[in-house]
Amino acid sequence: MASAAAEFTLIGLCDGELDSKRHRSSYLTNKVGGQPDWLPGISQPPPRCGRCGAALAHVVQVYCPRDASPYHRNLHLFACSGAECGGSSDSWRVLRSQCLEVEATPCRPDPAREAPLSATDWCDAADDWGVEEDWRGARMEESQAQAEAAARQTDISSQLQDLSLGAPQEDVPILRPFFISVVEESDLGGGEDDLHHAQQLLREYERREGVAVAQLDDKVGGGGGEEKYEKTEARHGDAVFSRFMKRISLCPQQILRYCHGGKPLFISKPPANMAQVVSACSSCGGPRSFELQLMPALVSLLQRTDADGEAELEFGTVLVYTCTKSCWAAGSQSAVEEFCFVQADPDQQLFK
């Protein structure tokens, strides 16, 4: 991926339901919900809520290897659906796992099954999308082959886990699974229809809040417009939220933003000591940097497979910070816990 200074941002979009009868997911699959697909060799019990102790639901799985790294790399986000725990950072957990590529031997895909979507778009080589199509085709075929091999390994692991000698199984919430597809944020404003639609959304927001979003963006971003627009404020007084709305207006349906080493898009004013709020790596003690965040459009997708279709979680955005060095001990069988910071939707506060 491009350097942090370049602010190269990838956008995750819902790309259809992951039907287990037609698709086979693996650790190479970017997805919402379902069961986590752990890397080979990783043995991880269901994480628990830091507030109520309940088993957490798997929310998002992202395959995101680092450039020039010999490791496969995954991030798994989990959250508690308890009514008293929603919106609390303590009720979320993010786990990072890695595996040497040589430990996950690919095999040829089975043509009788539909191959899963390419999952390499989150990796640090994602800014090479402009190179020759034959290279991209070869990379996709390689990814599909690895995904099929990983899926077979997952099947075996699942069968072994089922042989639990009759031990009672805990009721772990399972959310409906969906594929995540990836686009570059810079590609979102290419068409006149998209621009017109975005402008409509902005005007509607400005009328509702009684504020000029572009003016507030100058004020928040330090663009030199502070004095000119000093008296212009949103009705709820949240200029950061206005900037958030403007940034996502070209693609309101985005469910995830990925910008490793970049700047997060806050939905409300963060703590003044945010640098101190983000704790050091729990494994090596080194610093953490921003990697990805979940977006409001994801909320409507988070429905239990055994429920009546209502959303299980409420949040504004969930920001994930990971070890800058992506440290990993050779032979480790346990995932490394990283840092989550949850911000509520400011509009939800208006009804409390």
Side-chain angles (χ1 to χ4, degrees), residues 77-79 85-93 266-271 274 277 294 313-321 339-345:
L77 276 78
F78 299 83
C85 299
S88 169
S89 297
D90 292 338
S91 65
W92 284 78
R93 291 185 66 185
F266 292 103
I267 198 171
S268 59
K269 188 175 181 180
M274 188 63 192
V277 171
L294 306 184
L313 298 166
E314 293 285 346
F315 58 84
T317 186
V318 180
L319 302 106
V320 174
Y321 295 78
F339 182 81
C340 270
F341 184 74
V342 180
Q343 288 190 308
D345 184 344

Side-chain angles (χ1 to χ4, degrees), residues 40-53:
I42 300 298
S43 177
Q44 194 70 41
R48 296 188 172 275
C49 177
R51 292 173 62 90
C52 70

Side-chain angles (χ1 to χ4, degrees), residues 9-275:
T9 301
L10 297 172
I11 301 297
L13 302 169
C14 177
D15 197 19
E17 190 159 3
L18 199 167
D19 184 351
S20 60
K21 296 179 180 179
R22 297 178 54 224
H23 309 105
R24 193 76 60 88
S25 69
S26 75
Y27 61 84
L28 295 167
T29 307
N30 297 310
K31 68 178 184 178
V32 172
Q35 296 275 12
D37 299 308
W38 297 108
L39 284 159
I42 300 298
S43 177
Q44 194 70 41
R48 296 188 172 275
C49 177
R51 292 173 62 90
C52 70
L56 302 182
H58 180 243
V59 178
V60 164
Q61 169 179 305
V62 175
Y63 176 68
C64 46
R66 296 287 181 84
D67 189 26
S69 170
Y71 288 97
H72 292 294
R73 182 173 178 273
N74 279 90
L75 292 177
H76 291 276
L77 276 78
F78 299 83
C80 182
S81 58
E84 300 299 321
C85 299
S88 169
S89 297
D90 292 338
S91 65
W92 284 78
R93 291 185 66 185
V94 54
L95 301 178
R96 170 175 55 86
S97 57
Q98 297 181 198
C99 169
L100 286 171
E101 292 181 355
V102 295
E103 296 176 358
T105 305
C107 63
R108 299 182 65 180
D110 182 354
R113 283 206 306 266
E114 180 176 343
L117 301 182
S118 174
T120 58
D121 297 337
W122 294 115
C123 66
D124 286 346
D127 56 342
D128 294 331
W129 287 358
V131 298
E132 293 83 3
E133 290 299 320
D134 57 346
W135 180 90
R136 292 183 60 191
R139 183 65 183 256
M140 289 181 66
E141 289 178 3
E142 177 185 359
S143 173
Q144 291 171 353
Q146 290 179 337
E148 291 292 339
R152 290 169 181 166
Q153 288 178 312
T154 300
D155 285 347
I156 295 173
S157 298
S158 298
Q159 293 171 14
L160 292 175
Q161 289 175 359
D162 290 339
L163 300 176
S164 54
L165 301 180
Q169 297 296 312
E170 184 176 9
D171 180 23
V172 179
I174 304 296
L175 302 177
R176 291 178 61 192
F178 295 90
F179 284 114
I180 299 176
S181 62
V182 184
V183 296
E184 295 182 30
E185 186 179 42
S186 59
D187 291 340
L188 294 178
E192 292 185 4
D193 291 341
D194 290 338
L195 182 59
H196 178 70
H197 178 60
Q199 289 173 340
Q200 274 189 319
L201 293 173
L202 281 173
R203 299 294 82 79
E204 290 172 6
Y205 176 75
E206 289 174 338
R207 285 194 297 270
R208 185 171 70 250
E209 299 296 337
V211 60
V213 173
Q215 295 173 356
L216 280 173
D217 188 53
D218 288 339
K219 182 177 180 180
V220 175
E226 292 86 345
E227 183 177 350
K228 182 176 180 181
Y229 305 117
E230 184 176 359
K231 296 182 180 179
T232 305
E233 294 184 359
R235 281 201 293 265
H236 51 64
D238 195 340
V240 177
F241 182 62
S242 300
R243 180 175 180 270
F244 181 94
M245 292 298 294
K246 179 188 177 184
R247 185 68 181 269
I248 72 171
S249 62
L250 284 177
C251 187
Q253 66 270 34
Q254 59 187 273
I255 62 175
L256 190 151
R257 295 174 66 85
Y258 187 97
C259 186
H260 178 248
K263 295 180 181 178
L265 184 59
F266 292 103
I267 198 171
S268 59
K269 188 175 181 180
N273 63 336
M274 188 63 192

